[in-house]
Amino acid sequence: MPFITPSPEPMAHIILPPGWQEREQDVTPHAVYANRRSFIKTMSLGAIGAATGTSGLACAQDDARSSTAEGPLDTIPDDAPREGYPAPRNPDYPVDRTITERELASGYNNFYEFKNQGDLKEVWPLTDKYDPFPWTLEVRGLVEDEFTMDVAQLLHEVELEERLYRFRCVEAWAMTVPWTGFPLRALVERCKPLARAKYVRFVCADRPNEMPGLRSDWYPWPYHEALRMDEATNELAFVATGLYGEPLPKQNGSPLRLVLPWKYGYKGPKAFVRLEFTEQQPPTFWNELHPQEYGFLSNVNPNIPHPRWSQAQEELLGSDEKVETRLFNGYGEWVADLYPDEPRSRTDPMAR
Ligand SMILES: Nc1nc2c(c(=O)[nH]1)N[C@H]1C(S)=C(S)[C@@H](COP(=O)(O)O)O[C@H]1N2
Ligand SMILES: [Mo]
């Protein structure tokens, strides 16, 4: 997501002035596009396996160089449960564009807990020490009874399905991938929220010994997101535990992450460890850092430009092709009713 992270080396030694994020540390989207293109070019040359040391990628790091994973598909945890895989495809969510190459979906990522440069997308070599299982989910706040569930047990109990969804990052890249998982509504129901609960908040893992990016102390770790209850229980909202018919690679959010295809990617927390049901709208990670740039709702909307770039088009991962961005990422049929105030066109008075 956003390109606000300055290079950590100089930053680690100085005190940050208030408002630092808004100033010279901002990197333009163009710089990120350029970086991504060089990455994709590198991949198409077949150099991905060598990217740990010699590929000439801009952001090689010590952590990356010592990675034992040989490629982006080599990071699926050995002990990830595989019961129910591959899961049957749910046909209710057809897509009209090509499925993204698997190596790209797992080789070009945003997962700030692991990276230490804002435009670094090669996350997989940094996940060596991350050992997600066993994993528990804490259920807290406005529920009948607070409790903690074991994720392996949860996976044994739910029915897995596959959904092919369009995915849109706020940075204007997009992909189309088959997720394995189950509806978020099923998880919410297990939590037995009280009628008073209006929001559900997700708090992500905080494992500094396994996640090198957590050393970047200018972020309000742990990563945290939140949804309104009517959003969380919409049938599109999905808990993904797998990708391309196998358990999630670590960099894609093992052991579980949210996928909300009508929202920008950052609204879907990876590797969350706690759900908390609240009456008030909880603060969220990127909104706290840049309230002007990342709203609470963050629905995909070509009529609301990001303050620093247009959202009218998006680039499909793996090609230089630009396609028109669709309102709610094309999922209006399911979610438009939830957002009466969302600008429907560029001339809508609500459009900014
Ligand atoms: N915990 C956590 N979840 C996260 C992020 C993150 O940095 N940390 N990045 C978000 C962003 S900006 C995007 S675009 C998606 C990327 O998912 P992918 O790498 O599997 O494509 O994850 C989202 N979830
Ligand atoms: Mo993103």
Side-chain angles (χ1 to χ4, degrees):
M1 117 122 218
F3 327 111
I4 58 169
T5 321
S7 165
E9 286 76 18
M11 296 306 292
H13 307 291
I14 60 169
I15 307 291
L16 300 172
W20 60 274
Q21 300 99 330
E22 273 72 38
R23 300 209 310 271
E24 61 270 33
Q25 281 79 11
D26 282 348
V27 178
T28 64
H30 175 77
V32 172
Y33 284 155
N35 178 261
R36 176 150 57 79
R37 267 196 277 274
S38 75
F39 169 78
I40 289 166
K41 210 159 79 202
T42 306
M43 288 196 60
S44 65
L45 291 173
I48 190 73
T52 48
T54 55
S55 75
L57 281 177
C59 303
Q61 303 169 48
D62 291 345
D63 292 324
R65 284 191 203 102
S66 61
S67 172
T68 57
E70 289 180 0
L73 304 182
D74 197 24
T75 59
I76 299 173
D78 290 335
D79 50 356
R82 285 178 176 263
E83 185 188 340
Y85 284 86
R89 167 93 43 98
N90 183 332
D92 292 347
Y93 313 100
V95 296
D96 49 7
R97 60 189 200 198
T98 316
I99 299 183
T100 304
E101 240 180 280
R102 190 177 179 187
E103 282 76 9
L104 276 176
S106 291
Y108 183 84
N109 297 98
N110 273 330
F111 202 164
Y112 279 70
E113 284 88 332
F114 290 96
K115 59 195 194 177
N116 52 28
Q117 286 179 262
D119 57 353
L120 173 65
K121 303 299 186 187
E122 199 188 30
V123 173
W124 63 266
L126 304 171
T127 61
D128 253 18
K129 295 204 178 87
Y130 180 46
D131 185 12
F133 291 96
W135 194 271
T136 53
L137 286 183
E138 295 180 347
V139 178
R140 298 289 183 269
L142 301 175
V143 289
E144 278 178 24
D145 281 303
E146 296 186 330
F147 68 108
T148 298
M149 66 177 99
D150 178 67
V151 164
Q153 181 63 27
L154 173 71
L155 287 182
H156 175 66
E157 288 170 13
V158 293
E159 201 176 325
L160 295 181
E161 58 179 271
E162 182 174 83
R163 294 192 185 185
L164 195 49
Y165 274 163
R166 290 183 293 272
F167 181 97
R168 172 62 151 79
C169 172
V170 73
E171 295 161 348
W173 56 266
M175 61 182 185
T176 310
V177 295
W179 302 102
T180 304
F182 56 93
L184 174 57
R185 183 159 54 198
L187 177 57
V188 168
E189 281 167 3
R190 274 165 191 267
C191 297
K192 301 205 171 78
L194 303 177
R196 262 192 307 140
K198 294 289 178 288
Y199 296 88
V200 54
R201 160 176 145 91
F202 297 83
V203 182
C204 297
D206 187 9
R207 299 187 179 190
N209 295 331
E210 300 179 34
M211 302 172 145
L214 290 173
R215 290 175 221 145
S216 310
D217 56 8
W218 48 83
Y219 289 112
W221 303 118
Y223 197 93
H224 48 283
E225 258 303 336
L227 297 168
R228 295 189 326 221
M229 286 293 275
D230 59 347
E231 301 181 301
T233 54
N234 179 277
E235 69 166 88
L236 287 182
F238 201 58
V239 179
T241 59
L243 192 58
Y244 295 88
E246 288 196 82
L248 287 171
K250 295 184 203 174
Q251 66 276 15
N252 288 110
S254 176
L256 80 181
R257 52 91 61 84
L258 294 192
V259 181
L260 312 160
W262 72 99
K263 290 182 178 290
Y264 292 120
Y266 66 88
K267 287 295 295 183
K270 291 174 169 179
F272 56 91
V273 294
R274 189 161 85 236
L275 289 83
E276 211 174 299
F277 293 84
T278 67
E279 214 166 344
Q280 306 300 322
Q281 181 180 303
T284 55
F285 187 85
W286 291 108
N287 181 258
E288 261 168 83
L289 281 164
H290 282 287
Q292 304 312 316
E293 304 196 358
Y294 309 107
F296 179 81
L297 289 180
S298 288
N299 295 317
V300 176
N301 192 333
N303 308 309
I304 307 180
H306 185 279
R308 291 184 280 127
W309 60 88
S310 166
Q311 293 291 24
Q313 294 191 315
E314 61 204 47
E315 206 173 304
L316 300 180
L317 271 198
S319 82
D320 282 339
E321 195 189 343
K322 283 211 193 260
V323 300
E324 299 299 307
T325 291
R326 296 162 66 180
L327 181 61
F328 302 119
N329 203 21
Y331 293 99
E333 180 187 333
W334 289 271
V335 296
D337 291 350
L338 299 178
Y339 309 107
D341 294 338
E342 190 84 25
R344 266 37 183 192
S345 73
R346 230 148 288 180
T347 53
D348 193 310
M350 292 298 290
R352 275 175 261 148

